[in-house]
Amino acid sequence: MTTTVPGIPAARGAIDALGPAELLHRLRARGSSAEDSPITHIEHVASRAGRTVPWPPWVQEPLRDAYGFQPWEHQATAASLAHAGQHVVLATGTASGKSLAYQMPALSRLLDDPRATVLYLSPAKALAADQLRALIRLGIDGVRPATYDGDTPREEREWVRQHSRFVLTNPDMLHHALLPGHARWAPFLRRLAYVVIDECHSYRGVFGSHVAHVLRRLRRLAAQYGSSPTFILASATSGDPADAAARLTGLPVTAVTEDASPRGAVTFALWEPPLLPPAVETVEQLAEAAAGAQSPRSGQTLHSGQSLHSGQSLHSGQSLHSGQSLHCGRSDADLLADAAGTRTRRSALSETADLLADAVVAGTRTLAFVRSRRGAEVVAAMARRSLDEAVPGLGDRVAAYRAGYLKEDRRAIEQALLSGDLLALASTNALELGVDLVGLDAVLICGYPGTRASLWQQAGRAGRAGGEALAVLVARDDPLDTYLVHHPEALFGRPVEATVLDPTNPYVLGPQLCCAAAEAPLRPADLSLFGAEAAREAVEALTRSGALRKRPTGWYWTHQGRPDVDLRGTGGAPVAVVESATGRLLGTVDQGSSHAMLHPGAVYLHQGTSHVVDDLDLDESVALVHAEEPEWSTHARDVTDLSVVAVREYVDAGPVGLFLGDVDVTSQVVSYQRRRLGSGEVIDTRPLDLPPRELRTVAVWFTISPRELQTAGVPQADIPGALHAAEHAAIGLLPLIATCDRWDIGGLSTANHADTECPTVFVYDGHPGGAGFAERAYGTATEWLRATREAIASCGCTTGCPSCVQSPKCGNGNNPLDKEKAISVLDAVQAALTAARP
Ligand SMILES: [Zn+2]
Ligand SMILES: [Zn+2]
């Protein structure tokens, strides 16, 4: 397979010296006419001059002098709110100087009140270390900033407790050390003026729900010692930062979102790889499939023909009929090559490789972000090969870059890029971690990185001082990517994705109440802090089970030791993935996903390297693996039942119903398929002997009457395919409205559900007790389902492809799927919902 590189004069090896704008012009010339140009949109984001304001009058002279510059307007606004005692969240772009916004009021208070203290929480040690260095550089007397984390030596901890007035730590340390040992922190807590929560958007899902309670425990103890600190939060830009911050802290929070920091101009092109004739298969796709191969997880496969009542057995090999449920997870196009067996769009990796080669020919310094390490290496190799075919030696101007490189290698690459010896790099997002690359003209982003914040962070890598930069988002064949390249307003307009968490999750609330009771007896008055009614019910249940003991003054933890609560889980130890030969711990997988991801024979990817599972020991929570690169991928199949336990809320829209409620999902991984990489050909199906798993969680679902479907042009026979297709796309689009990844969601569609007695599509949180995703989907259902419909409709394929309704995780081979009828279903649902809930 020869990739043609437009514009390379084969006879000479000259490289042009084009700027980003000229490169874009050259790229636009791809395609024979405007209609078949892969560019779906070009957004010129103008440069912005920064807006500084005078220092707020309350900021002391020494502090102003220490900084030596004036604040941007948003920094001063947020700082002044916090200074006035209002809880505030600053949600602005990366590199917009959020640190200054909390340093100002915090340090100012420490200067004014020589006894006051500040607690700073960050999700990453590296970030806390950065902050510490910045504070030390400021050199404000008497602050004595110090980190307090797992690395702090025991003898230093005592000093930190007694002397530091600006303690930098993380939620785990707060949960495991600081709060349980609060008596020793009493002087610090008594004078606690501010709590700073940096990168607060990272506290989402189950982890976020736990952190929300850790913060409530902090607030309760601070209050008992007599302080009520002001919370200052820093967030990436998101849909509703005030609401997310309020859920996290349990306090009313004011959001500051207007960014007044300067920004360089960037031209942003959205790129949709062209459709290919069917059944095209190339060596390049095989390489790509190898790069993307990964096994699916539990809750994401489709099984054949079982009924919906728990306890009924599975009859394998039944044919499809209405009433059967289809059960799938969010699609991920990196993995698709081996899933459906057909691919109808040129892959994002191939497109990115070509664009990178074009950039080299143009002499434009370009960085391509690719999601997996193997993917980055494949992109670099493909670009090198096509350049060398055109002009031998030209391929040397391209390199792959990854976190695993030694420091010297990384420096050498950075140096070569700076000098111009190297013109193009393909990298994973390892570069986000503080590696400094300057002088880039263009950034190619291979696949939407999952959040707008990451997208802008990656795009922000391009742009020399004063110059215009180019960023290109290359869509992967995934419904969300398809939607985004056709709806630029979702990327450039008001953000809609929100950080979600659910502190009322009983699997989080119960254990957290035990932690709180172990720190200090829970009094009835404390319950409102932890969620009033839900907390009361939880405390009563804990008392009945003997976890807590009720006395006249409140509820007590009377057991030996402290409650053992993992902030990242909802019960069940994570399964450790261990390399047998070396005993090396490769990573952990939560229990919920372990059956599907780590069953014996499963192919498990770790940082782009593939391993095969030898043994899964569920009692010990360990999976033993060995490194191997087989020619197949593995796909677990499970049997799943879903029953409705309770409806929390609903919208009655006549023939359509929209519901939020509690459901029981029972699933059992029963077998797995091995499929040849690239072709997707099924090699064999092997049985597995794993116990069923039960999941009580939260789901959003819609029902639509068969009569209404008939009216909408969906006859009985087409209902399963229409609902199944709608379900796949709906799961794929959920990250548009709530930051989540494919591990977080499951789905099930059925032409007749025993509990709803109607054709129904369920989408549920993949964590016990729910994590807020289904709730967010319910709250924004109109927006979510409209986007789902749009993603399907704007895909140019004829009968459905991975860019719209196919899911690589579908254990039923994406069958049945009816793209056209899915649009009819969603239109009918949308129309009814809009009429009922405009
Ligand atoms: Zn399609
Ligand atoms: Zn499916």
Side-chain angles (χ1 to χ4, degrees), residues 374-428:
R374 279 277 291 281
E377 282 164 2
V378 166
V379 164
M382 289 195 303
R384 267 199 300 270
R385 194 176 57 217
S386 59
L387 287 165
D388 278 336
E389 274 169 14
V391 180
L394 204 52
D396 294 346
R397 315 292 288 268
V398 182
Y401 187 104
R402 56 181 162 83
Y405 284 143
L406 295 172
K407 197 170 176 184
E408 302 85 80
D409 300 336
R410 294 207 306 264
R411 292 287 168 268
I413 288 177
E414 285 162 23
Q415 204 48 50
L417 194 69
L418 200 61
S419 69
D421 290 344
L422 204 57
L423 284 169
L425 267 188
S427 172
T428 61

Side-chain angles (χ1 to χ4, degrees), residues 15 78 142 159 193-194 274 278 294 357 362 484 496 498 533 568 609 750 766 768 784 789:
I15 290 174
W159 184 90
Y194 286 104
Q294 189 172 323
L484 291 172
V496 290
E533 205 40 54
R568 284 162 186 79
T609 311
T750 168
W784 171 44
R789 187 244 181 245

Side-chain angles (χ1 to χ4, degrees), residues 285-307:
Q285 285 169 1
L286 279 168
E288 219 163 276
Q294 189 172 323
S295 56
R297 72 176 280 265
S298 143
Q300 301 201 314
T301 48
L302 165 73
H303 35 82
S304 52
Q306 79 279 17
S307 92

Side-chain angles (χ1 to χ4, degrees), residues 523-535:
R523 296 158 308 182
D526 293 334
L527 296 184
S528 61
L529 181 64
F530 293 97
E533 205 40 54

Side-chain angles (χ1 to χ4, degrees), residues 492-508:
F492 306 109
R494 191 179 59 83
V496 290
E497 80 189 8
T499 309
V500 303
L501 52 136
D502 180 12
T504 64
N505 178 333
Y507 297 85
V508 172

Side-chain angles (χ1 to χ4, degrees), residues 204 297 300 330 735 738-745 767 773:
R204 63 176 186 82
R297 72 176 280 265
Q300 301 201 314
R330 160 163 149 62
T739 47
C740 54
D741 62 34
R742 63 177 184 273
W743 313 119
D744 295 324
I745 316 160
H767 303 278
F773 303 113

Side-chain angles (χ1 to χ4, degrees), residues 275 344-345 482 791-792 794-806 819:
L275 285 162
T344 49
R345 227 170 249 294
T482 304
I792 301 174
S794 54
C795 186
C797 72
T798 44
T799 57
C801 73
S803 300
C804 54
V805 299
Q806 290 184 358
K819 174 184 173 179

